[in-house]
Amino acid sequence: MTPRTSLLLLLLAGLPAARPAPPTCYSRMLTLSREITGDFQSLQAAEPVESCVRYLPGLYLDIHNYCVLAKLRDFVASPQCWKVTQVDVLKDKVRKLYTIMNSFCRRDLVFLSDDCNALEHPIPVTTGPPDGQS
């Protein structure tokens, strides 16, 4: 076998390993919840096209909080801003996450809290180790 052929076989053998694994239910829920939270924050921070955006319920999601399912339902059912394109797109994503959580990935969910008030405010971002650790 020539060195050129060996190199070609080596490259071809390595290609399947380069493909990422398909997303799991958990990773899909986590990614979509972060995307929704980011979109909501961007919508709130932008100059609102409609004044109704100010009156939308807060949407800071934590898929480990039992109250998130009710929060998703309430957001979709909210009568504010129907016919506002950005809000309609956001509500579609919320509907999709609710369906994934309530149907397809129901067995994969592990709720670590049931603090409904925690979903009313942005999740603080930690930049360092907890207090007392270096």
Side-chain angles (χ1 to χ4, degrees):
M1 205 186 290
T2 67
R4 189 180 225 173
T5 307
S6 298
L7 180 61
L8 181 61
L9 286 175
L10 182 63
L11 288 174
L12 290 175
L15 286 179
R19 283 186 242 166
T24 62
C25 263
Y26 178 77
S27 67
R28 181 66 183 129
M29 289 185 294
L30 193 59
T31 301
L32 191 54
S33 70
R34 288 177 179 164
E35 186 179 318
I36 290 168
T37 299
D39 289 353
F40 177 75
Q41 289 174 335
S42 295
L43 185 65
Q44 292 285 36
E47 193 63 36
V49 176
E50 300 284 334
S51 61
C52 66
V53 171
R54 287 186 297 228
Y55 302 107
L56 286 170
L59 196 58
Y60 304 103
L61 303 180
D62 175 9
I63 63 169
H64 302 106
N65 187 326
Y66 182 74
C67 298
V68 74
L69 293 170
K71 187 70 167 173
L72 294 171
R73 272 193 319 266
D74 291 348
F75 188 82
V76 170
S78 171
Q80 284 89 1
C81 294
W82 70 288
K83 299 285 186 193
V84 175
T85 306
Q86 296 95 332
V87 177
D88 287 343
V89 169
L90 187 58
K91 284 186 177 187
D92 285 342
K93 286 182 183 179
V94 169
R95 250 184 237 103
K96 181 189 247 180
L97 179 61
Y98 181 81
T99 302
I100 291 170
M101 291 180 77
N102 207 29
S103 299
F104 304 116
C105 302
R106 186 180 198 111
R107 292 176 292 164
D108 294 349
L109 286 174
V110 176
F111 296 115
L112 303 175
S113 76
D114 62 352
D115 181 7
C116 295
N117 289 329
L119 298 176
E120 297 298 322
H121 308 286
I123 299 169
V125 177
T126 57
T127 57
D131 293 340
Q133 296 181 1
S134 348

Short mmCIF file of all heavy atoms in Angstrom, two decimals, residues 80-118:
data_model
loop_
_atom_site.label_atom_id
_atom_site.label_comp_id
_atom_site.label_asym_id
_atom_site.label_seq_id
_atom_site.Cartn_x
_atom_site.Cartn_y
_atom_site.Cartn_z
N GLN A 80 -51.89 39.11 25.57
CA GLN A 80 -51.11 40.27 25.14
C GLN A 80 -50.37 39.97 23.84
O GLN A 80 -49.88 38.87 23.63
CB GLN A 80 -50.08 40.69 26.20
CG GLN A 80 -50.66 41.41 27.37
CD GLN A 80 -51.07 40.46 28.46
OE1 GLN A 80 -50.92 39.27 28.36
NE2 GLN A 80 -51.62 41.00 29.54
N CYS A 81 -50.32 40.96 23.01
CA CYS A 81 -49.46 40.97 21.82
C CYS A 81 -49.82 39.93 20.76
O CYS A 81 -48.96 39.53 19.98
CB CYS A 81 -48.00 40.79 22.19
SG CYS A 81 -47.33 42.14 23.13
N TRP A 82 -51.03 39.48 20.72
CA TRP A 82 -51.33 38.58 19.61
C TRP A 82 -51.29 39.43 18.35
O TRP A 82 -51.68 40.58 18.34
CB TRP A 82 -52.65 37.85 19.84
CG TRP A 82 -53.87 38.70 19.74
CD1 TRP A 82 -54.32 39.63 20.63
CD2 TRP A 82 -54.80 38.71 18.67
NE1 TRP A 82 -55.45 40.21 20.19
CE2 TRP A 82 -55.78 39.67 18.98
CE3 TRP A 82 -54.89 38.00 17.47
CZ2 TRP A 82 -56.85 39.93 18.14
CZ3 TRP A 82 -55.97 38.28 16.65
CH2 TRP A 82 -56.92 39.23 16.99
N LYS A 83 -50.73 38.92 17.33
CA LYS A 83 -50.50 39.59 16.04
C LYS A 83 -49.19 40.38 15.99
O LYS A 83 -48.95 41.09 15.05
CB LYS A 83 -51.66 40.51 15.63
CG LYS A 83 -52.97 39.81 15.47
CD LYS A 83 -52.99 39.05 14.20
CE LYS A 83 -54.38 38.45 13.99
NZ LYS A 83 -54.43 37.47 12.98
N VAL A 84 -48.35 40.28 17.02
CA VAL A 84 -47.02 40.88 16.96
C VAL A 84 -46.06 39.75 16.58
O VAL A 84 -45.94 38.76 17.30
CB VAL A 84 -46.61 41.52 18.31
CG1 VAL A 84 -45.19 42.02 18.28
CG2 VAL A 84 -47.58 42.64 18.67
N THR A 85 -45.40 39.89 15.46
CA THR A 85 -44.62 38.80 14.87
C THR A 85 -43.59 38.21 15.82
O THR A 85 -43.52 36.99 15.97
CB THR A 85 -43.91 39.29 13.58
OG1 THR A 85 -44.89 39.85 12.72
CG2 THR A 85 -43.22 38.16 12.88
N GLN A 86 -42.78 39.05 16.47
CA GLN A 86 -41.73 38.53 17.35
C GLN A 86 -42.34 37.74 18.51
O GLN A 86 -41.78 36.73 18.93
CB GLN A 86 -40.87 39.66 17.92
CG GLN A 86 -40.09 40.42 16.90
CD GLN A 86 -40.84 41.68 16.46
OE1 GLN A 86 -42.06 41.74 16.48
NE2 GLN A 86 -40.09 42.68 16.03
N VAL A 87 -43.47 38.19 19.02
CA VAL A 87 -44.12 37.49 20.13
C VAL A 87 -44.73 36.19 19.64
O VAL A 87 -44.66 35.16 20.32
CB VAL A 87 -45.16 38.40 20.80
CG1 VAL A 87 -45.90 37.65 21.91
CG2 VAL A 87 -44.50 39.65 21.37
N ASP A 88 -45.31 36.20 18.45
CA ASP A 88 -45.87 34.97 17.88
C ASP A 88 -44.79 33.90 17.70
O ASP A 88 -45.01 32.73 18.00
CB ASP A 88 -46.56 35.24 16.54
CG ASP A 88 -47.88 35.97 16.70
OD1 ASP A 88 -48.42 35.98 17.83
OD2 ASP A 88 -48.37 36.52 15.70
N VAL A 89 -43.62 34.32 17.22
CA VAL A 89 -42.51 33.38 17.04
C VAL A 89 -42.07 32.83 18.40
O VAL A 89 -41.82 31.63 18.54
CB VAL A 89 -41.32 34.07 16.31
CG1 VAL A 89 -40.07 33.24 16.36
CG2 VAL A 89 -41.70 34.40 14.88
N LEU A 90 -41.99 33.71 19.39
CA LEU A 90 -41.61 33.28 20.74
C LEU A 90 -42.65 32.31 21.31
O LEU A 90 -42.29 31.28 21.89
CB LEU A 90 -41.45 34.50 21.65
CG LEU A 90 -40.89 34.25 23.04
CD1 LEU A 90 -39.52 33.60 22.97
CD2 LEU A 90 -40.81 35.56 23.81
N LYS A 91 -43.92 32.60 21.12
CA LYS A 91 -44.98 31.70 21.62
C LYS A 91 -44.93 30.34 20.92
O LYS A 91 -45.20 29.32 21.53
CB LYS A 91 -46.35 32.35 21.46
CG LYS A 91 -46.61 33.42 22.50
CD LYS A 91 -48.03 33.94 22.42
CE LYS A 91 -48.28 34.96 23.51
NZ LYS A 91 -49.68 35.37 23.57
N ASP A 92 -44.56 30.32 19.65
CA ASP A 92 -44.41 29.04 18.94
C ASP A 92 -43.28 28.21 19.56
O ASP A 92 -43.41 27.00 19.74
CB ASP A 92 -44.15 29.26 17.46
CG ASP A 92 -45.39 29.69 16.69
OD1 ASP A 92 -46.52 29.51 17.21
OD2 ASP A 92 -45.23 30.22 15.58
N LYS A 93 -42.17 28.86 19.89
CA LYS A 93 -41.06 28.15 20.53
C LYS A 93 -41.47 27.64 21.91
O LYS A 93 -41.10 26.53 22.30
CB LYS A 93 -39.84 29.07 20.67
CG LYS A 93 -39.11 29.33 19.39
CD LYS A 93 -37.90 30.22 19.64
CE LYS A 93 -37.18 30.55 18.35
NZ LYS A 93 -36.02 31.43 18.59
N VAL A 94 -42.23 28.45 22.63
CA VAL A 94 -42.69 28.05 23.96
C VAL A 94 -43.62 26.83 23.84
O VAL A 94 -43.52 25.88 24.61
CB VAL A 94 -43.39 29.23 24.68
CG1 VAL A 94 -44.11 28.77 25.92
CG2 VAL A 94 -42.37 30.31 25.00
N ARG A 95 -44.52 26.86 22.86
CA ARG A 95 -45.42 25.73 22.62
C ARG A 95 -44.61 24.46 22.31
O ARG A 95 -44.91 23.38 22.81
CB ARG A 95 -46.33 26.02 21.43
CG ARG A 95 -47.75 26.21 21.80
CD ARG A 95 -48.63 26.41 20.58
NE ARG A 95 -49.33 27.66 20.73
CZ ARG A 95 -49.04 28.79 20.11
NH1 ARG A 95 -48.08 28.85 19.24
NH2 ARG A 95 -49.73 29.88 20.34
N LYS A 96 -43.58 24.62 21.50
CA LYS A 96 -42.74 23.49 21.12
C LYS A 96 -42.04 22.91 22.36
O LYS A 96 -42.01 21.69 22.55
CB LYS A 96 -41.70 23.95 20.10
CG LYS A 96 -40.77 22.85 19.62
CD LYS A 96 -39.66 23.45 18.78
CE LYS A 96 -39.75 23.03 17.35
NZ LYS A 96 -38.69 23.61 16.53
N LEU A 97 -41.48 23.78 23.21
CA LEU A 97 -40.82 23.31 24.43
C LEU A 97 -41.82 22.60 25.34
O LEU A 97 -41.52 21.55 25.89
CB LEU A 97 -40.14 24.47 25.16
CG LEU A 97 -39.44 24.09 26.47
CD1 LEU A 97 -38.33 23.07 26.24
CD2 LEU A 97 -38.89 25.33 27.15
N TYR A 98 -43.00 23.16 25.49
CA TYR A 98 -44.02 22.54 26.34
C TYR A 98 -44.35 21.14 25.83
O TYR A 98 -44.45 20.19 26.61
CB TYR A 98 -45.28 23.41 26.39
CG TYR A 98 -46.34 22.82 27.27
CD1 TYR A 98 -46.29 22.98 28.65
CD2 TYR A 98 -47.39 22.08 26.74
CE1 TYR A 98 -47.25 22.43 29.47
CE2 TYR A 98 -48.36 21.52 27.55
CZ TYR A 98 -48.29 21.70 28.91
OH TYR A 98 -49.23 21.14 29.72
N THR A 99 -44.53 21.01 24.53
CA THR A 99 -44.86 19.71 23.95
C THR A 99 -43.73 18.72 24.16
O THR A 99 -43.96 17.56 24.53
CB THR A 99 -45.14 19.85 22.44
OG1 THR A 99 -46.22 20.76 22.26
CG2 THR A 99 -45.48 18.52 21.80
N ILE A 100 -42.50 19.17 23.96
CA ILE A 100 -41.34 18.29 24.18
C ILE A 100 -41.29 17.83 25.63
O ILE A 100 -41.10 16.65 25.93
CB ILE A 100 -40.03 18.99 23.77
CG1 ILE A 100 -39.98 19.17 22.26
CG2 ILE A 100 -38.81 18.22 24.27
CD1 ILE A 100 -38.84 20.06 21.79
N MET A 101 -41.47 18.77 26.55
CA MET A 101 -41.38 18.45 27.98
C MET A 101 -42.53 17.58 28.46
O MET A 101 -42.35 16.71 29.30
CB MET A 101 -41.33 19.73 28.81
CG MET A 101 -40.05 20.51 28.66
SD MET A 101 -40.03 22.00 29.66
CE MET A 101 -39.68 21.30 31.26
N ASN A 102 -43.71 17.83 27.94
CA ASN A 102 -44.90 17.16 28.45
C ASN A 102 -45.19 15.85 27.73
O ASN A 102 -45.93 15.03 28.25
CB ASN A 102 -46.11 18.09 28.32
CG ASN A 102 -47.16 17.79 29.33
OD1 ASN A 102 -46.87 17.31 30.42
ND2 ASN A 102 -48.40 18.05 28.98
N SER A 103 -44.62 15.64 26.56
CA SER A 103 -44.93 14.43 25.80
C SER A 103 -43.68 13.59 25.54
O SER A 103 -43.49 12.55 26.14
CB SER A 103 -45.57 14.79 24.46
OG SER A 103 -46.77 15.48 24.66
N PHE A 104 -42.83 14.07 24.65
CA PHE A 104 -41.72 13.27 24.18
C PHE A 104 -40.68 12.96 25.25
O PHE A 104 -40.13 11.86 25.30
CB PHE A 104 -41.02 13.96 23.00
CG PHE A 104 -41.95 14.27 21.86
CD1 PHE A 104 -42.22 15.57 21.50
CD2 PHE A 104 -42.59 13.25 21.17
CE1 PHE A 104 -43.08 15.86 20.45
CE2 PHE A 104 -43.45 13.52 20.13
CZ PHE A 104 -43.70 14.83 19.76
N CYS A 105 -40.38 13.92 26.10
CA CYS A 105 -39.28 13.76 27.06
C CYS A 105 -39.76 13.70 28.50
O CYS A 105 -38.97 13.94 29.42
CB CYS A 105 -38.29 14.91 26.88
SG CYS A 105 -37.61 15.02 25.24
N ARG A 106 -40.99 13.39 28.71
CA ARG A 106 -41.56 13.40 30.05
C ARG A 106 -40.75 12.53 31.02
O ARG A 106 -40.51 12.91 32.17
CB ARG A 106 -43.01 12.93 30.00
CG ARG A 106 -43.72 13.02 31.30
CD ARG A 106 -45.17 12.54 31.17
NE ARG A 106 -45.91 13.04 32.28
CZ ARG A 106 -46.85 13.95 32.21
NH1 ARG A 106 -47.18 14.46 31.06
NH2 ARG A 106 -47.47 14.35 33.27
N ARG A 107 -40.30 11.38 30.58
CA ARG A 107 -39.55 10.47 31.47
C ARG A 107 -38.14 10.97 31.77
O ARG A 107 -37.52 10.54 32.73
CB ARG A 107 -39.47 9.08 30.84
CG ARG A 107 -40.82 8.39 30.79
CD ARG A 107 -40.72 7.08 30.09
NE ARG A 107 -40.43 7.37 28.68
CZ ARG A 107 -39.96 6.48 27.83
NH1 ARG A 107 -39.72 5.26 28.21
NH2 ARG A 107 -39.74 6.80 26.58
N ASP A 108 -37.63 11.89 30.94
CA ASP A 108 -36.27 12.39 31.15
C ASP A 108 -36.20 13.57 32.12
O ASP A 108 -35.11 14.00 32.48
CB ASP A 108 -35.66 12.83 29.81
CG ASP A 108 -35.44 11.68 28.87
OD1 ASP A 108 -35.57 10.52 29.31
OD2 ASP A 108 -35.15 11.92 27.69
N LEU A 109 -37.35 14.10 32.51
CA LEU A 109 -37.36 15.28 33.38
C LEU A 109 -37.08 14.92 34.82
O LEU A 109 -37.62 13.94 35.35
CB LEU A 109 -38.73 15.97 33.31
CG LEU A 109 -39.01 16.75 32.05
CD1 LEU A 109 -40.45 17.25 32.07
CD2 LEU A 109 -38.07 17.92 31.92
N VAL A 110 -36.25 15.73 35.45
CA VAL A 110 -35.99 15.62 36.88
C VAL A 110 -36.15 17.03 37.44
O VAL A 110 -35.38 17.92 37.09
CB VAL A 110 -34.58 15.08 37.17
CG1 VAL A 110 -34.31 15.08 38.67
CG2 VAL A 110 -34.41 13.70 36.59
N PHE A 111 -37.16 17.22 38.26
CA PHE A 111 -37.40 18.55 38.84
C PHE A 111 -36.67 18.63 40.17
O PHE A 111 -36.82 17.77 41.03
CB PHE A 111 -38.90 18.79 39.03
CG PHE A 111 -39.66 18.82 37.74
CD1 PHE A 111 -40.61 17.86 37.45
CD2 PHE A 111 -39.42 19.81 36.80
CE1 PHE A 111 -41.30 17.89 36.25
CE2 PHE A 111 -40.10 19.85 35.60
CZ PHE A 111 -41.05 18.88 35.33
N LEU A 112 -35.87 19.68 40.31
CA LEU A 112 -35.07 19.85 41.51
C LEU A 112 -35.67 20.87 42.47
O LEU A 112 -35.23 20.98 43.60
CB LEU A 112 -33.64 20.27 41.13
CG LEU A 112 -32.91 19.30 40.18
CD1 LEU A 112 -31.56 19.87 39.78
CD2 LEU A 112 -32.77 17.93 40.82
N SER A 113 -36.66 21.63 42.00
CA SER A 113 -37.31 22.62 42.87
C SER A 113 -38.72 22.86 42.38
O SER A 113 -39.11 22.44 41.29
CB SER A 113 -36.52 23.93 42.90
OG SER A 113 -36.73 24.65 41.71
N ASP A 114 -39.47 23.56 43.22
CA ASP A 114 -40.83 23.96 42.85
C ASP A 114 -41.07 25.41 43.28
O ASP A 114 -42.15 25.78 43.70
CB ASP A 114 -41.88 23.02 43.43
CG ASP A 114 -41.88 22.99 44.95
OD1 ASP A 114 -40.96 23.59 45.55
OD2 ASP A 114 -42.79 22.38 45.52
N ASP A 115 -40.04 26.22 43.15
CA ASP A 115 -40.08 27.63 43.52
C ASP A 115 -40.59 28.45 42.33
O ASP A 115 -39.81 28.84 41.46
CB ASP A 115 -38.70 28.10 43.96
CG ASP A 115 -38.68 29.56 44.39
OD1 ASP A 115 -39.76 30.18 44.48
OD2 ASP A 115 -37.58 30.07 44.63
N CYS A 116 -41.90 28.71 42.30
CA CYS A 116 -42.49 29.41 41.16
C CYS A 116 -42.01 30.86 41.07
O CYS A 116 -41.90 31.40 39.96
CB CYS A 116 -44.02 29.37 41.26
SG CYS A 116 -44.67 27.70 41.11
N ASN A 117 -41.69 31.49 42.18
CA ASN A 117 -41.20 32.87 42.15
C ASN A 117 -39.84 32.98 41.46
O ASN A 117 -39.51 34.03 40.91
CB ASN A 117 -41.10 33.44 43.57
CG ASN A 117 -42.48 33.69 44.14
OD1 ASN A 117 -43.42 34.00 43.42
ND2 ASN A 117 -42.61 33.54 45.45
N ALA A 118 -39.07 31.92 41.48
CA ALA A 118 -37.75 31.94 40.84
C ALA A 118 -37.86 32.12 39.33
O ALA A 118 -36.92 32.60 38.70
CB ALA A 118 -36.99 30.66 41.15
#
